[in-house]
Structure formats: structure tokens, C-alpha cells
């Protein structure tokens, strides 16, 4: 069974550019969550999608956005990149239900120069 | 703010058991206790979760205090591969949303040969 796949694995962008990251969840998982991980702030929740609807959103500026497609694949977009956006971006997928676990991808390492 | 408290680090000898404590004094009746671990440059990996009763799986055991205000993750025989940051987090089971998981700093486990 394939795990959560995130692409690309590594990315280097210039300040002011925008970037789109992709996440393919485990087959059958309709919940997809995104996290940002930095050495200083640790893992911080960005947003959660379920059946193409954003269900929860973390405390990030509007430059951070996401969406989910009908096949449950999700993308997140960061516009007008800042140096502080350099981080490991992680995606997690899970089955619907209360007694379930989440499975994380390997992440996308974004470096803004 | 993180809802759980863990020691910053713990050391263990290889093939010895490791007991990782977690305090969650404000846990609600519907919160599931989840444990994840993260190896360097990888996404978090699911370890185990439970609600009230102790749980065992192939990776570890989870011992939950009777009042549920604390729990302990038990790695029965530590290997070098178990060296990672271990996160104890609470997930609200009142809904099937993953909501805003709050990862603290976790416990860095060091395994010595």
C-alpha cells in the first residue's frame, strides 16, 4: 500500500516568487492536513481539508492557501515568498472517523533565498 | 500552546527498555492520546494511540494512567533505529476532524550502543 506522497521533495525559490506543493494521500483517505516545521517553531498546523472543503485553518497569513481535489489530492500554495517561509512542509492523511491515525509524507523542503 | 508536557531528552542503552512520559493534565474525555516519532529529515511516523485502556502494537506499548492525566510510551527493547524525536499529542475524538493538532517540542531519544 503506497504511503503519502509529497512532491517535490526539495525546492529552492527566490523571495517574492510563489510556490505550489502537492500531496497525494493514501488511497481511501479523504482527510489531508498540512504542517510547517521549522527549527524555531517546531511543527505548526496550516490547514485541514476533507472532501474538498477546508475544515480547519491555523494561524498563518493569507499568503498560505490550499485546496483539495475530488480524488483527495491536495495542494498548498505560498505566494510572495519570504525568507521566513523556508521550512519543511508536511502533509498528513487519514481515514474519516474518530479512532484513526494520521500518516505523514516525507515532506517538501522549501528554501527561500 | 501545546497541551502536553514531555521531557526534552532521554537516553537509553541499546536493547534496554525506554519509558517516555507525557503529562496531559487538561485532557478531555474525548481526547485520544497519540504518539508519533520523527527521524532526522523524515516526516513523523505513527507509533501508537489510545483512549483509556493500555494498548500494545508491534512497535510499542502505551500505558495510560487511570485518571488519564498522564501516559507512558514504552519501547521494550531500544535499537539504534529508535533514536528519534517522540511527540505525544492529543486528538479530539468528539469529531472526526483532525482539527489543529498541537505538537510540542517532543522528547529526543538517544540510544547508545
Amino acid at each position: 500500500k503506497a504511503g503519502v506522497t509529497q512532491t517535490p521533495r526539495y525546492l529552492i525559490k527566490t523571495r517574492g516568487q510563489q510556490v505550489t506543493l502537492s500531496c497525494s494521500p493514501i488511497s481511501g483517505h479523504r482527510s489531508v492536513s498540512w504542517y510547517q516545521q521549522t527549527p524555531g517553531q517546531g511543527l505548526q498546523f496550516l490547514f485541514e481539508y476533507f472532501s474538498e472543503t477546508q475544515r480547519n485553518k491555523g494561524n498563518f497569513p493569507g499568503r498560505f492557501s490550499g485546496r483539495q481535489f475530488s480524488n483527495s489530492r491536495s495542494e498548498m500554495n505560498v505566494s510572495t515568498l519570504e525568507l521566513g517561509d523556508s521550512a519543511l512542509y508536511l502533509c498528513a492523511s487519514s481515514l474519516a472517523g474518530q479512532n484513526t491515525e494520521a500518516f505523514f509524507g516525507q515532506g517538501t523542503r522549501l528554501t527561500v533565498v | 500552546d501545546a497541551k502536553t508536557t514531555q521531557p526534552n531528552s532521554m537516553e537509553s542503552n541499546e536493547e534496554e527498555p525506554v519509558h517516555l512520559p507525557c503529562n496531559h493534565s487538561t485532557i478531555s474525555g474525548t481526547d485520544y492520546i497519540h504518539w508519533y516519532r520523527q527521524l532526522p529529515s523524515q516526516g513523523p511516523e505513527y507509533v501508537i494511540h489510545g483512549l483509556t485502556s493500555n494498548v500494545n502494537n508491534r512497535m510499542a506499548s502505551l500505558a495510560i494512567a487511570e485518571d488519564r492525566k498522564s501516559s507512558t510510551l514504552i519501547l521494550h527493547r531500544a535499537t539504534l533505529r529508535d533514536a528519534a524525536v517522540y511527540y505525544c499529542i492529543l486528538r479530539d475524538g468528539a469529531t472526526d476532524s483532525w482539527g489543529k493538532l498541537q505538537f510540542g517540542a517532543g522528547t529526543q531519544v538517544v540510544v547508545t550502543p
Side-chain angles (χ1 to χ4, degrees):
Chain A
K1 187 174 179 181
V4 177
T5 304
Q6 292 188 245
T7 56
R9 289 293 311 278
Y10 302 93
L11 207 49
I12 300 175
K13 289 287 190 179
T14 304
R15 269 184 304 175
Q17 287 186 311
Q18 74 164 10
V19 67
T20 299
L21 312 181
S22 179
C23 172
S24 293
I26 292 172
S27 178
H29 287 192
R30 290 191 292 158
S31 172
V32 174
S33 299
W34 288 89
Y35 294 83
Q36 181 196 66
Q37 186 172 30
T38 59
Q41 298 295 321
L43 271 154
Q44 292 190 291
F45 172 78
L46 279 158
F47 21 69
E48 178 198 10
Y49 286 88
F50 183 80
S51 293
E52 302 179 67
T53 301
Q54 186 179 87
R55 203 149 61 165
N56 285 288
K57 189 176 190 305
N59 297 323
F60 280 82
R63 301 185 296 106
F64 292 81
S65 63
R67 59 179 176 169
Q68 186 180 34
F69 302 95
S70 58
N71 63 357
S72 294
R73 189 177 71 86
S74 178
E75 289 181 347
M76 67 163 282
N77 184 278
V78 188
S79 62
T80 320
L81 283 166
E82 301 176 359
L83 295 179
D85 297 332
S86 295
L88 180 66
Y89 290 88
L90 292 157
C91 159
S93 78
S94 61
L95 288 167
Q98 296 155 332
N99 187 16
T100 60
E101 59 268 29
F103 296 88
F104 285 80
Q106 296 283 62
T108 294
R109 172 73 64 184
L110 172 65
T111 302
V112 182
V113 297
Chain B
D1 293 337
K3 298 180 185 177
T4 61
T5 304
Q6 300 176 250
N8 290 334
S9 64
M10 291 192 73
E11 286 192 31
S12 174
N13 295 320
E14 203 173 6
E15 298 190 6
E16 294 288 320
V18 182
H19 291 239
L20 300 176
C22 180
N23 288 319
H24 26 79
S25 58
T26 59
I27 192 170
S28 74
T30 57
D31 283 340
Y32 282 83
I33 302 159
H34 283 251
W35 284 84
Y36 287 81
R37 71 181 185 183
Q38 187 173 23
L39 280 68
S41 301
Q42 294 190 26
E45 175 187 28
Y46 168 78
V47 177
I48 200 166
H49 77 281
L51 184 63
T52 56
S53 303
N54 294 344
V55 186
N56 300 295
N57 66 19
R58 64 175 180 80
M59 289 182 71
S61 295
L62 176 60
I64 301 173
E66 198 168 332
D67 63 6
R68 301 212 321 128
K69 293 186 176 182
S70 66
S71 61
T72 302
L73 178 72
I74 303 164
L75 306 178
H76 295 288
R77 291 181 69 217
T79 68
L80 296 178
R81 196 192 169 282
D82 292 321
V85 177
Y86 286 76
Y87 297 99
C88 166
I89 58 174
L90 302 180
R91 185 220 166 177
D92 183 8
T95 73
D96 62 357
S97 166
W98 276 83
K100 302 180 184 183
L101 292 185
Q102 294 179 336
F103 287 79
T107 297
Q108 175 70 62
V109 170
V110 176
V111 180
T112 306

